[in-house]
Amino acid sequence: MSRTTAPPPPREARPTADRRHRNPTDVRRAGWSTRVVLLVLCALWMLPALGLLVTSFRPVDDITTTGWWTALGDVFDPTAWTTQNYVDVIVAQGMGNAFLNSLTVTVPATAVPILAAAFAAYAFAWMRFPGRNFLFIVVVALLVVPIFVAFVPIFRLFNTLGIQGDFLSVWLAHTGFGMPLAVYILRNYMAGLPRELIESAKVDGASHFQIFWRLIIPLSFPALAAFSILQFLWVWNDLLVALVFLGSAADVEVVTVRLQGLLGSRGQDWHLLTSGAFVTMIVPLIVFFSLQRYFIRGLTAGSLKG
Amino acid sequence: MGQFGGAIFAIAVGLLGALAFYWLLNKVVEALPPAWENRLKPYVFIGPAIVIVATFLVFPALLTIRDSFHGSNAEEFVGLANYRQLLGDGSVWSLLLNNAIWIVVVPTVAVSIGLAVAIMTDRLSSTWERVTKALIFLPMAISFIGAGVIWRFVYEWRPPGRPQIGLLNAIVEAMGFEPIHWLGTSDLRLNTLLLTVIMIWLQSGFAMVLLSAAIKGVPDETVEAARIDGASEGQIYWRVVIPQIKSTIFVVTTTVMILVMKIFDVVFALTQGRFNTNVIANQFYFELFQVRHQGRAAVLVVLLIIAVIPIMIANIRRLRQEEALR
């Protein structure tokens, strides 16, 4: 997941109408060669993940003696399939507990930065104040700063505060690291909202606080949704921040850290690795596929061409 | 489960607390005389975000630069000793070469594949376009460590004679060759290239989505005009469409590039930097948590900061140009 340079400024959504409906005689239909290339590409893209999924449902002895593709020949043989790997990894290997920890980490680490960023984005887009340009340039510059810069100093800070290894420490860290991108995406979106709307609200005597809550927040839904999904996926899939600030004690470790632990200690136990990896993926895949629409719209709405 | 309930409680308190904080700050400012209210209100809105950013990124960056001139505990001043040690013994150059391979290969290939898929799917019916894009886009939801497990299984190697359960070696064996220890082979940096494949697999979909939206934003008239002038489909893309989506290509390429500069999880999961596959971020982790030398770890971060400065400048210039157009 990338949190660094932001996608281009989403402004008002422009309908990306399908040209073919407008121009039925269009010659640009895909030929057979294009279709074959795409088919091969899709197959290549799915194959590694398919191997993981199939393996995670095979009995241990089968996994170590034959390739996963042989199981596709025994689809109807009940002895070729098992859910035992999942039971093992969730119960005995602590993946179930790690799953709850991941939820605990991810939800606040997504919600809090959005709130703070939305306020700041509104001010950058619609308020005039000294230092505005300078501060915004600082934010843009910070988009590319590698988060490694923060590790040692923040580690020391958290130690002094005595919160190192607590959930609070990762909530704060993800809030800090996610902030520049959140401010940038939201500010670009909000700046693209129609000026007349905000002016007329002001004329009607609305305060900035009211304009922000009643007008800007509802209108910025696509950008808020896109950033939430991005931040959610980033936090859920993060390994390094969790490893550094939370550590691998059983009561706090998250799914990525647990999976890394399995890789280190059970590196050849493919039944545990594959089912464990799949457990880590379930939530992001659900979030991603159910919200894909908003994600793409929020990131790509308008203003993309050069 | 009890702990999860506690977390939910903490979330509610945290969010309500944050909301109450903004509301209260706003009330205080509104109670001031109007001149002061107008002067201070913007800082109520940006204040918390700026404080967070300063605490978590700006000050740490300055402290890290300071640390790079200090010893293992960040206490005694050692001048350039850490730099001399890391850049002098040559080992860091191998890391930099690997990082350079990552930085060149991944953005180039991922953006090319993304662009090709965006162009090709544009000609499918909308249902097939959606399905194809979803499949290519799917890895974007997978963590680097999850992807690491997936691909370690593809590259799995066992000595000849034992059953090969890794896909790649099964193919190699079926063709009559000896199985290859893929991740242990650093000739021509083969293993690093195989690791970059994972990142390409993860990032092509991201490039595709943004480029596809850009292509759909190209005005039909320009394409029609070229077609009437007798341009071939290839010429239309090279001469008409691609020049118009240049800025999106730039944005996507830099985004992937920055991500790749900090590459950590993939290498950490598959080789831990062994077999000549080490990169700056992994060495940083090693110096910090195994060797426990904060000074040398800081030097590695400073190297990363220097590497991103050109991208930072390009970003700011692009922002300035966009603002000038607004």
Side-chain angles (χ1 to χ4, degrees), chain B residues 17-292:
Chain B
L19 280 173
F21 175 73
Y22 276 105
W23 183 82
L24 207 70
L25 219 53
N26 186 61
K27 277 282 164 231
V28 169
V29 173
E30 276 179 358
L32 295 172
W36 279 99
E37 183 190 337
N38 287 334
R39 213 169 292 160
L40 288 180
K41 191 167 260 183
Y43 300 103
V44 171
F45 278 64
I46 58 162
I50 294 295
V51 169
I52 290 170
V53 161
T55 314
F56 284 89
L57 290 164
V58 179
F59 290 126
L62 299 176
L63 284 172
T64 298
I65 293 170
R66 190 200 77 107
D67 280 357
S68 73
F69 301 107
H70 288 71
S72 58
N73 285 325
E75 274 162 16
E76 94 267 43
F77 180 78
V78 297
L80 289 170
N82 296 324
Y83 288 86
R84 234 176 270 133
Q85 206 177 346
L86 273 173
L87 297 170
D89 76 353
S91 63
V92 81
W93 298 108
S94 171
L95 310 183
L96 291 176
L97 173 66
N98 283 334
N99 270 81
I101 293 173
W102 278 90
I103 291 167
V104 172
V105 172
V106 176
T108 318
V109 179
V111 172
S112 305
I113 292 178
L115 186 60
V117 175
I119 289 173
M120 287 191 284
T121 52
D122 198 31
R123 301 164 165 214
L124 296 174
S125 69
S126 61
T127 310
W128 283 112
E129 176 176 356
R130 258 208 321 278
V131 172
T132 310
K133 280 178 165 178
L135 288 181
I136 305 284
F137 200 27
L138 176 118
M140 168 126 201
I142 298 175
S143 66
F144 291 172
I145 187 90
V149 171
I150 291 179
W151 283 87
R152 218 175 78 132
F153 196 52
V154 173
Y155 296 145
E156 172 79 347
W157 169 84
R158 287 162 160 205
R162 293 188 51 201
Q164 297 297 331
I165 59 169
L167 184 63
L168 216 47
N169 271 326
I171 295 172
V172 165
E173 208 168 52
M175 290 180 358
F177 299 103
E178 292 260 290
I180 299 166
H181 187 4
W182 299 106
L183 296 176
T185 309
S186 65
D187 302 352
L188 298 171
R189 303 273 159 164
L190 173 71
N191 44 13
T192 292
L193 289 171
L194 290 172
L195 294 179
T196 65
V197 167
I198 303 172
M199 203 64 174
I200 291 165
W201 182 69
L202 288 165
Q203 295 301 314
S204 295
F206 172 72
M208 174 202 67
V209 166
L210 294 183
L211 292 168
S212 172
I215 288 174
K216 287 181 192 305
V218 169
D220 289 338
E221 302 80 53
T222 56
V223 176
E224 291 306 319
R227 193 166 288 136
I228 290 166
D229 289 345
S232 70
E233 288 303 310
Q235 285 171 325
I236 288 178
Y237 277 107
W238 282 114
R239 304 252 178 92
V240 180
V241 176
I242 290 180
Q244 293 194 63
I245 61 169
K246 238 178 17 211
S247 83
T248 307
I249 295 178
F250 171 84
V251 171
V252 173
T253 310
T254 25
T255 307
V256 176
M257 198 176 271
I258 291 164
L259 185 70
V260 164
M261 271 183 185
K262 305 176 295 190
I263 183 70
F264 167 77
D265 313 32
V266 171
V267 179
F268 193 61
L270 273 86
T271 64
Q272 306 224 298
R274 284 171 296 143
F275 315 119
N276 267 331
T277 56
N278 210 0
V279 286
I280 294 182
N282 281 68
Q283 187 63 28
F284 164 80
Y285 190 85
F286 178 76
E287 292 283 2
L288 193 56
F289 293 101
Q290 310 288 314
V291 185
R292 298 194 172 271

Side-chain angles (χ1 to χ4, degrees), chain A residues 120-205:
Chain A
Y122 173 77
F124 278 126
W126 294 106
M127 289 164 132
R128 310 254 144 222
F129 55 92
R132 184 173 84 135
N133 285 333
F134 171 75
L135 288 173
F136 192 62
I137 283 176
V138 170
V139 168
V140 172
L142 289 173
L143 287 173
V144 301
V145 168
I147 58 172
F148 301 103
V149 301
F151 284 174
V152 179
I154 295 293
F155 195 85
R156 288 200 290 254
L157 174 70
F158 284 170
N159 261 329
T160 315
L161 298 175
I163 57 169
Q164 180 64 34
D166 288 350
F167 285 117
L168 182 60
S169 67
V170 263
W171 291 341
L172 290 173
H174 280 302
T175 300
F177 302 152
M179 193 61 64
L181 181 63
V183 173
Y184 183 67
I185 291 185
L186 297 178
R187 179 266 180 194
N188 283 341
Y189 196 92
M190 289 176 187
L193 295 172
R195 174 173 294 276
E196 309 80 59
L197 213 61
I198 286 122
E199 297 297 336
S200 67
K202 266 189 203 152
V203 171
D204 290 346

Side-chain angles (χ1 to χ4, degrees), chain A residues 228-256:
Chain A
S228 315
I229 298 165
L230 211 55
Q231 175 80 356
F232 185 93
L233 290 179
W234 194 80
V235 174
W236 183 279
N237 287 335
D238 156 76
L239 172 68
L240 193 54
V241 174
L243 209 51
V244 172
F245 295 122
L246 213 47
S248 49
D251 55 334
V252 288
E253 67 179 349
V254 293
V255 286
T256 48

Side-chain angles (χ1 to χ4, degrees), chain A residues 257-273:
Chain A
V257 173
R258 187 78 284 266
L259 187 59
Q260 169 58 33
L262 283 179
L263 261 175
S265 61
R266 318 289 295 258
Q268 288 304 314
D269 289 345
W270 285 108
H271 64 294
L272 295 176
L273 289 177

